[in-house]
Amino acid sequence: MRALSISAHGGIEQLKYTLDAPEPQLTAADDVRVNIHAAALNHLDLFVVAGVPGVTLSPGAPLGADGAGIVDAVGSAVTGLKAGDRVLLNPGVSCRNCEFCREGDHPLCVRYAILGEHRPGTLAEQIVVPAVNVRPIPTGASFEEAAAFPLATLTAWRMLMSRAQLKSGETVLIWGIGGGVALAAFQIAKRLGARVFVTSGSDEKLARAKALGADEVFNHHTQDVASEVRALTGKRGVDVVVDNVGAKTWERSLRALAKRGRVVTCGGTSGPLVESDVRRMFWNQLTLMGSTMGNDREFDAMMAAFADGLRPVVDSVFGLADGRSAFQRLASGEQFGKIVVRVQA
Ligand SMILES: [Zn+2]
């Protein structure tokens, strides 16, 4: 089958488009094989190409965490799914048996595996996943939208709804609008009735965010975001900050927070090591929280929002043979929304 993979770590030049990747087989009774129609990229994919500490490369295994397509075959124990169903994938595969899985907190699973990182991914014509990782695509949504939806939206959903517990009427600051998680967080916060401030280094992206309903926008290259936030909130600050940038933004995130504020992170694209002023933390009684991916309950809540009309912002669509261009677009940081790879013509 056709697939996009790497055989060695490095830059985007390591990406190989192959025509003869092995077709995956059903191995467990609860497996499902899906013919992928569209996949979508995440920043994670760039980390996988570069090499993630502790994760061993499977040479030639397809990359890609997000995908959507049509069920091709199901194992003997699978119920409620059949060949021909239009589905999307939950990119996180959990053991369903460890202490965290038994509590329903699947992203903490001790054997947690992400498609395209710890097991074969979605940038291929076919994939095999447990049936529990498959959900029907709501009527009216395209394969491109369905592929662009899960990882970023699930991540943002857990961050805002479960971890930070953002409430209607609260104010949230989101760094780096244009990235998948930032845009999903923006949409979820607006849908909830929160006041949403966003930043970007690009005035063009800020104009687009404004058109989508952002309440205030800041250029983090030319403006002191924390001071602007305090000025706009009567010196109070925001209730929640979504910070996936890390080293470059963390100090400003803490300065932008109100008393009892929460900062939630799912990554640090500018670097992982940050400094937190404990005086600011204890005096303002701040909460710093980490988050990654989401559990089944959050996935289903997010799917209900998808069925209700929530749609990811799609930046661009590439063909699988042109996958390297899709990765270049991702690495450029110029995108506004998800980069989709069309696998079936
Ligand atoms: Zn587990």
Side-chain angles (χ1 to χ4, degrees):
M1 64 173 181
R2 297 180 297 118
L4 198 67
S5 62
I6 53 170
S7 296
H9 292 301
I12 289 169
E13 74 284 351
Q14 293 292 344
L15 288 166
K16 285 196 187 71
Y17 172 64
T18 58
L19 302 174
D20 54 359
E23 281 159 14
Q25 305 299 321
L26 299 178
T27 53
D30 64 348
D31 276 347
V32 174
R33 188 165 61 203
V34 176
N35 290 329
I36 299 286
H37 281 241
L41 301 188
N42 293 282
H43 210 88
L44 169 68
D45 300 312
L46 291 175
F47 288 131
V48 173
V49 173
V52 179
V55 178
T56 310
L57 175 73
S58 301
L63 299 165
D66 272 324
I70 295 179
V71 173
D72 171 60
V74 301
S76 57
V78 174
T79 56
L81 280 170
K82 60 181 188 311
D85 287 352
R86 297 171 83 243
V87 294
L88 57 74
L89 306 178
N90 181 337
V93 178
S94 49
C95 80
R96 307 272 149 186
N97 196 39
C98 71
E99 65 169 298
F100 300 105
C101 282
R102 286 198 305 270
E103 286 175 12
D105 220 355
H106 310 105
L108 292 174
C109 175
V110 297
R111 285 177 284 277
Y112 199 63
I114 297 177
L115 305 182
E117 182 178 5
H118 311 94
R119 51 183 289 157
T122 54
L123 288 161
E125 287 184 282
Q126 290 191 320
I127 192 168
V128 168
V129 294
V132 71
N133 279 69
V134 167
R135 295 287 191 288
I137 298 173
T139 312
S142 67
F143 285 121
E144 284 86 354
E145 289 170 329
F149 191 65
L151 192 147
T153 317
L154 179 64
T155 302
W157 193 277
R158 182 176 177 90
M159 290 174 84
L160 287 182
M161 305 298 277
S162 304
R163 301 289 284 137
Q165 297 190 13
L166 181 70
K167 291 169 192 69
S168 176
E170 286 192 319
T171 304
V172 57
L173 170 69
I174 301 169
W175 289 98
I177 200 73
V181 172
L183 269 167
F186 166 77
Q187 292 176 310
I188 291 164
K190 287 303 291 184
R191 200 168 174 275
L192 192 65
R195 189 175 175 211
V196 186
F197 297 176
V198 304
T199 88
S200 173
S202 153
D203 288 335
E204 189 195 332
K205 288 187 187 182
L206 292 176
R208 293 184 68 173
K210 195 86 187 166
L212 288 175
D215 294 284
E216 300 289 347
V217 302
F218 310 104
N219 186 315
H220 55 231
H221 288 157
T222 60
Q223 290 178 284
D224 179 346
V225 173
S227 300
E228 299 279 346
V229 163
R230 300 205 83 84
L232 279 165
T233 55
K235 298 186 183 173
R236 178 185 180 275
V238 297
D239 301 288
V240 173
V241 177
V242 174
D243 186 333
N244 301 327
V245 183
K248 281 188 180 165
T249 52
W250 194 257
E251 184 270 335
R252 286 178 281 173
S253 290
L254 297 194
R255 276 200 292 126
L257 277 178
K259 289 179 182 292
R260 220 160 47 199
R262 298 90 83 193
V263 57
V264 59
T265 178
C266 71
T269 50
S270 69
L273 299 180
V274 298
E275 271 187 8
S276 302
D277 184 335
V278 291
R279 294 165 300 184
R280 187 175 288 281
M281 278 181 63
F282 78 73
W283 189 250
N284 292 325
Q285 307 206 24
L286 307 181
T287 305
L288 316 185
M289 47 182 73
S291 191
T292 194
M293 306 298 282
N295 62 22
D296 282 359
R297 188 179 48 77
E298 289 150 351
F299 201 85
D300 288 332
M302 173 197 92
M303 287 304 295
F306 195 23
D308 192 39
L310 181 65
R311 290 290 182 272
V313 177
V314 173
D315 170 79
S316 47
V317 182
F318 294 82
L320 185 61
D322 201 19
R324 200 179 278 190
S325 301
F327 272 76
Q328 275 159 353
R329 175 85 182 154
L330 177 66
S332 76
E334 287 169 7
Q335 72 276 15
F336 190 88
K338 300 295 295 179
I339 297 162
V340 171
V341 176
R342 185 82 197 172
V343 176
Q344 298 290 337

